[in-house]
Amino acid sequence: MKYGYFDDKAREYVITTPRTPLPWINYLGCENFFTLLSSTGGGYSFYRDARLRRLTRYRYNNCPLDQEGFRIYIKDGDIVWNPGWQPVQTELDRYSCRHGLGYTVIEGERGGITARQEFMVPRGDNCLLIRFTVSNGGDATRSFKVFPYLEFCLWDAMDDSSNFQRNYSTGEVEVTASAIYHKTEYRERRDHYAVFWSNRPADGFDTSREAFIGAYNSPAHPKAVFGDGCTGSVAHGWQPVAAQQFDLELQPGESCSILFGLGYIENPEEEKWEAPGIVNKVRAETLMARYADDDAFDSAMSALRAYWEELLSGYQVSSESAPLDRMVNIWNQYQCMVTFNMSRSASYFESGIGRGMGFRDSCQDLMGFVHIIPARARERILDIAATQFPDGSAYHQYQPLTKKGNADIGSGFNDDPLWLIAAADAYLRETGDWSILDEIVPFDNDPSLAQSLLEHLRRSFNYTRTHLGPHGLPLIGRADWNDCLNLNCFSAHSGESFQVSGPSEGPVAESVFIAGMFVKYGRSWADICRHAGLEQEAEDADKAIAAMETTVLDAGWDGAWFRRAYDAFGQVIGGKECEEGRIFLEPQGMCVMAGIGKESGQAAQSLASVQEHLDTKYGIVLLQPAYTRYHLELGEISSYPPGYKENAGIFCHINPWIVCAEAELGHGDRAFEVYRKTAPAFIEDISEIHRTEPYVYSQMIAGKDAVSFGEAKNSWLTGTAAWSFLGVSQAILGVKPTLDGLQIDPCIPASVSGFTLSRRYRGARYEITVENPDGVQHGVKEMLVDGCPLAGNVIPVRDAGSTVQVRVIMG
Ligand code: GLC
Ligand code: GLC
């Protein structure tokens, strides 16, 4: 069952009922100001950091779902309704929500009145704009009242949801004819305030929640709206809100629009005040003046559309499959941008107060984003590298506002260092910008410890190389990519964190997964050394990698698949002797992607075992058999009920590893089969089972051991976005940036006769046609570049600005 449809031409998903199984959201903003917005108008805004600079309040885990947001109430006689249905839930005659790239349009109609809210965060300004247009489609004059409403957050979202003894007394606002200024803490420690405005004077306002909503009412039944209108309240403490009232009259066929905005303003210390106690509003007024009318809104919207058009033009495919094209050309790339911006901080599943930016997460997100805006990827690599420690290990997370490593969680996740190599390598292959290696970057955010980025990568490699366990495999430390395998933790008491309690650094527990990473990204390191003229160092790395490969095929091979790890007692995890957790997905993906056992047959055997033991109709589960009891020596993984999350859920992030691994072996049919099982546009028809948005990936789909097999959770912020894009764009469609140029190496189903693709690469444009006359899955028989045959399949780098015609004949 579907709850809407894709409008590919408009690059929108159109939701046709407000009763989606869960709120289906969009992200507005791609620089510093962000808004999460649901299909009914729920959501919240923040400036840069969802924890430290939250502008509006949102309560998670609420009932009914999705109460707070950017609401507009229309009071038409005795009837009150919202264009987005929530929160009053008055039935509408018509409803639609169009989620587009960086904007959303919600439209509702009732009793002959149509009301539309167009939401966007304009490029270059720190604000959310909402254009409200209301039309009278009937044949009588209509008078009604309109009330926009939102609730302010007292900035630090963590404090806001816990420190009530203080913050019930601190809230402060100022009000003018058309604007409400939220200035809590501005007097003391803040140089910023928020402003909600309308482009015409309001007929009334409220800034105290109690006055507008009522102490015992809910947003579904605001006292002011259902009663006599706004009261002119000025909040002192308690809950400051922004509510306005407009009394409208429309002739038959008449429309009118009001432009609302929510802005974030910073003032330098010496310009904070206009008069004692009165906020200096000059910057806010300049912002409001910029968006004073429909023309300004329309041109900001056109600029936003043009911006996305340009960004997405970096990779556009035209194939025989509409869902493939819409994933690749629109939604997967869009999600890559969002995960790059947010990491795992703020979604409808991530509260924005729990986690900052993840080291490994951001490195992987960047791999799916680097072709979109390479300059931002460059900056991010340097920020991440600055949170590395001098020994090559790294802070596991950092706060986006301060860019400082998060000491609460600390370090010890032993896969982190290698992801930095993966990210830098992706950047170099995309851009050829070798100057990044010379950038001087602090260790531990301490400028006195600064070294070149090249030195950072060297220490990443050496950290793994020098932290080996009894079998010669890398020590796992606190955990590797799988945060839930806490082999050194032994958490037996409630209240402890699996990830940070216990003696987290052990000398015995080893990870086959990190060994696979070491081979894969160690090769990247060796290539980088070679290109940088460090031949000796490259050879040295090659030796360490070859030795690791041997170790993996020895201590890491179980007979029919790769083992997962050795625990702190030296026992095998993910091997045939294990009663539960006999086979894991991660090492099969990573080791085969690294090419381990490719010649000697273990790689193919490993993937056959995945298909045999882990595959399901909704995707590949992380392990089998699921853990049915708590294993103290394994940690959090066995704390999840069978079929959920890392305990045998379909962990979407690592399904594309199998896509890449299958392509590594030339299995085009199987690579595509795995790809399409979790790709949202391919499973739109089962939205009632899947439940999360059909236009973006979720972190997890419940596995076959779960009661709710097929139900997804944690949509939007997941490494699945980047890895799926790598899987489809590089492994299947086969357009791979290398250090020496663009390689074309498709691996597609035998039934596909070809496709065309346009790719921007190092400033040139490649117009690629792939033909598959012999119906093969892999292999390039002939390649013509601007009509001339090319030896091999790597096209040497072309001049920026040029257009290159490429014809690829598979066979
Ligand atoms: C979450 C984390 C990611 C981790 C994965 C597996 O998605 O953000 O860092 O690798 O879970 O545990
Ligand atoms: C839990 C989750 C895992 C996530 C981690 C982040 O372990 O199961 O998916 O990566 O928390 O802190």
Side-chain angles (χ1 to χ4, degrees):
M1 176 181 171
K2 298 193 214 182
Y3 301 88
Y5 59 92
F6 286 95
D7 180 344
D8 293 332
K9 213 158 161 277
R11 299 184 161 137
E12 292 171 340
Y13 191 81
V14 188
I15 301 166
T16 49
T17 165
R19 291 181 175 83
T20 46
L22 294 164
W24 283 1
I25 75 163
N26 193 10
Y27 282 80
L28 316 186
C30 32
E31 292 151 335
N32 292 313
F33 189 99
F34 298 98
T35 295
L36 277 64
L37 187 72
S38 78
S39 41
T40 64
Y44 62 95
S45 295
F46 60 93
Y47 171 75
R48 282 181 59 190
D49 191 313
R51 170 166 175 185
L52 300 174
R53 291 288 155 86
R54 185 91 58 118
L55 271 83
T56 65
R57 198 170 264 165
Y58 193 82
R59 293 175 188 80
Y60 280 85
N61 211 353
N62 48 18
C63 177
L65 289 174
D66 203 27
Q67 284 299 288
E68 293 77 30
F70 310 89
R71 305 302 191 184
I72 292 187
Y73 299 90
I74 297 170
K75 186 177 187 191
D76 180 13
D78 291 338
I79 305 277
V80 177
W81 59 283
N82 308 101
W85 181 67
Q86 281 255 67
V88 180
Q89 299 186 2
T90 302
E91 283 312 317
L92 302 175
D93 300 334
R94 197 166 53 82
Y95 159 93
S96 72
C97 166
R98 291 180 166 264
H99 281 319
L101 306 181
Y103 69 90
T104 288
V105 181
I106 297 176
E107 193 166 306
E109 184 182 325
R110 199 184 182 288
I113 293 180
T114 307
R116 179 155 46 137
Q117 281 168 283
E118 294 165 89
F119 298 81
M120 68 173 295
V121 171
R123 298 249 304 128
D125 274 316
N126 294 320
C127 64
L128 167 70
L129 300 177
I130 308 170
R131 175 163 61 184
F132 175 72
T133 310
V134 61
S135 317
N136 177 4
D139 42 23
T141 302
R142 304 285 288 267
S143 301
F144 51 91
K145 296 185 192 326
V146 166
F147 302 85
Y149 169 73
L150 57 80
E151 184 174 351
F152 289 112
C153 177
L154 307 188
W155 300 112
D156 180 334
M158 183 70 148
D159 200 66
D160 184 70
S161 55
S162 53
N163 193 6
F164 305 110
Q165 62 81 23
R166 172 177 159 80
N167 59 36
Y168 280 175
S169 293
T170 55
E172 286 189 295
V173 297
E174 279 179 37
V175 183
T176 64
S178 60
I180 294 169
Y181 292 81
H182 174 229
K183 58 172 186 177
T184 304
E185 286 196 348
Y186 185 74
R187 193 152 36 87
E188 333 78 81
R189 302 184 293 184
R190 295 191 180 272
D191 61 0
H192 43 271
Y193 59 83
V195 56
F196 176 81
W197 82 87
S198 49
N199 69 343
R200 60 153 93 176
D203 296 306
F205 70 87
D206 266 311
T207 65
S208 143
R209 192 182 73 192
E210 189 170 333
F212 185 74
I213 301 276
Y216 291 99
N217 290 32
S218 76
H221 201 89
K223 190 168 103 185
V225 177
F226 281 80
D228 299 331
C230 285
T231 67
S233 60
V234 175
H236 295 284
W238 295 111
Q239 298 86 5
V241 300
Q244 291 180 327
Q245 176 178 331
F246 297 87
D247 303 335
L248 303 179
E249 186 179 280
L250 290 182
Q251 301 306 316
E254 199 191 351
S255 299
C256 86
S257 74
I258 310 176
L259 235 127
F260 300 110
L262 172 68
Y264 169 86
I265 306 290
E266 272 176 16
N267 276 337
E269 183 62 37
E270 59 290 358
E271 293 173 29
K272 275 178 78 170
W273 305 103
E274 168 186 317
I278 308 292
V279 165
N280 178 346
K281 305 182 181 64
V282 172
R283 285 181 173 78
E285 280 155 4
T286 310
L287 177 69
M288 298 185 231
R290 206 150 42 237
Y291 299 106
D293 55 25
D294 284 331
D295 286 348
F297 186 90
D298 288 335
S299 62
M301 186 65 106
S302 311
L304 186 68
R305 286 183 196 274
Y307 174 72
W308 272 104
E309 170 97 37
E310 165 65 14
L311 291 182
L312 296 181
S313 73
Y315 197 117
Q316 290 289 304
V317 67
S318 172
S319 77
E320 294 159 4
S321 161
L324 178 92
D325 290 3
R326 65 172 68 110
M327 283 314 315
V328 173
N329 298 341
I330 306 170
W331 296 100
N332 197 170
Q333 294 198 66
Y334 183 55
Q335 191 179 0
C336 283
M337 165 75 111
V338 172
T339 54
F340 176 82
N341 285 331
M342 299 287 135
S343 187
R344 305 297 169 270
S345 73
S347 74
Y348 265 32
F349 300 86
E350 301 279 6
S351 62
I353 55 181
R355 296 201 251 176
M357 308 284 280
F359 189 100
R360 79 156 81 89
D361 293 336
S362 292
C363 286
Q364 290 171 85
D365 294 344
L366 187 149
M367 292 157 70
F369 170 81
V370 58
H371 71 287
I372 302 181
I373 312 183
R376 287 192 60 201
R378 186 184 207 274
E379 185 191 346
R380 179 67 58 79
I381 290 171
L382 302 178
D383 285 348
I384 298 173
T387 65
Q388 191 177 25
F389 288 103
D391 71 353
S393 65
Y395 277 109
H396 194 50
Q397 291 167 10
Y398 69 99
Q399 272 319 115
L401 194 67
T402 61
K403 297 187 175 176
K404 291 257 166 30
N406 177 344
D408 290 346
I409 181 121
S411 76
F413 294 79
N414 279 354
D415 62 320
D416 278 336
L418 291 169
W419 290 117
L420 184 63
I421 297 180
D425 177 54
Y427 175 78
L428 289 170
R429 284 187 283 120
E430 182 67 33
T431 63
D433 167 22
W434 290 85
S435 73
I436 193 173
L437 296 179
D438 301 326
E439 290 286 344
I440 302 299
V441 186
F443 282 103
D444 195 6
N445 296 112
D446 177 349
S448 74
L449 299 176
Q451 293 279 347
S452 68
L453 182 69
L454 183 81
E455 181 60 27
H456 280 258
L457 302 184
R458 176 178 291 129
R459 293 196 194 176
S460 283
F461 181 78
N462 286 336
Y463 180 86
T464 313
R465 172 153 76 171
T466 55
H467 286 73
L468 303 179
H471 298 89
L473 294 163
L475 289 170
I476 198 168
R478 197 171 275 173
D480 61 22
W481 174 88
N482 191 330
D483 275 334
C484 295
L485 265 182
N486 316 109
L487 307 185
N488 295 303
C489 174
F490 311 112
S491 176
H493 301 285
S494 59
E496 287 174 352
S497 159
F498 291 103
Q499 297 194 33
V500 295
S501 61
S504 59
E505 302 280 321
V508 174
E510 299 167 293
S511 164
V512 178
F513 171 79
I514 301 180
M517 273 188 90
F518 182 78
V519 173
K520 179 165 169 58
Y521 298 117
R523 288 218 178 91
S524 309
W525 165 242
D527 288 346
I528 291 170
C529 288
R530 220 157 249 132
H531 271 75
L534 302 167
E535 186 57 39
Q536 187 54 47
E537 194 159 6
E539 278 172 30
D540 201 40
D542 286 344
K543 278 190 208 128
I545 294 160
M548 187 63 78
E549 228 177 321
T550 310
T551 307
V552 171
L553 288 173
D554 176 15
W557 181 249
D558 198 62
W561 56 77
F562 293 100
R563 292 176 173 157
R564 179 61 179 86
Y566 287 87
D567 70 17
F569 307 99
Q571 303 289 322
V572 171
I573 299 171
K576 55 183 166 310
E577 65 264 52
C578 304
E579 206 180 305
E580 306 193 316
R582 202 171 298 138
I583 169 170
F584 278 66
L585 187 57
E586 309 95 290
Q588 321 313 325
M590 190 51 77
C591 293
V592 180
M593 283 197 287
I596 301 175
K598 191 171 164 180
E599 306 306 324
S600 43
Q602 291 92 335
Q605 208 180 348
S606 139
L607 295 184
S609 296
V610 167
Q611 193 162 0
E612 185 184 342
H613 301 287
L614 301 177
D615 208 6
T616 79
K617 61 177 172 177
Y618 297 133
I620 307 175
V621 298
L622 192 146
L623 62 84
Q624 279 293 293
Y627 293 108
T628 56
R629 61 182 178 82
Y630 180 48
H631 295 251
L632 187 63
E633 75 289 3
L634 304 180
E636 185 175 3
I637 192 160
S638 57
S639 74
Y640 285 113
Y644 293 101
K645 297 277 285 180
E646 285 86 341
N647 186 13
I650 297 161
F651 217 88
C652 298
H653 183 145
I654 58 182
N655 273 244
W657 293 355
I658 301 303
V659 172
C660 297
E662 293 285 2
E664 182 71 28
L665 303 189
H667 302 160
D669 284 326
R670 174 71 180 151
F672 189 70
E673 184 190 338
V674 175
Y675 169 74
R676 58 169 295 158
K677 277 190 192 183
T678 55
F682 284 89
I683 51 177
E684 188 196 3
D685 281 342
I686 57 155
S687 290
E688 82 284 11
I689 298 172
H690 190 72
R691 289 171 47 92
T692 53
E693 297 90 334
Y695 40 92
V696 291
Y697 287 94
S698 296
Q699 181 207 55
M700 192 237 7
I701 299 170
K704 60 184 177 184
D705 301 285
V707 176
S708 57
F709 183 32
E711 179 190 36
K713 290 193 186 112
N714 301 5
S715 59
W716 281 98
L717 301 187
T718 161
T720 316
W723 273 104
S724 296
F725 190 70
L726 293 181
V728 67
S729 67
Q730 298 194 16
I732 295 177
L733 300 171
V735 179
K736 300 179 197 175
T738 75
L739 294 177
D740 304 310
L742 204 57
Q743 182 183 33
I744 318 287
D745 187 23
C747 187
I748 56 177
S751 60
V752 170
S753 63
F755 57 89
T756 61
L757 204 147
S758 179
R759 172 71 151 94
R760 183 174 46 228
Y761 181 63
R762 302 200 192 178
R765 176 151 300 274
Y766 294 73
E767 300 293 353
I768 304 162
T769 305
V770 174
E771 297 159 31
N772 187 18
D774 302 337
V776 299
Q777 297 182 44
H778 184 234
V780 171
K781 156 164 96 177
E782 199 187 343
M783 218 164 116
L784 299 170
V785 177
D786 288 331
C788 304
L790 179 83
N793 61 0
V794 179
I795 311 165
V797 176
R798 290 306 183 87
D799 291 339
S802 57
T803 300
V804 189
Q805 301 293 336
V806 185
R807 189 166 161 219
V808 181
I809 300 151
M810 295 179 67

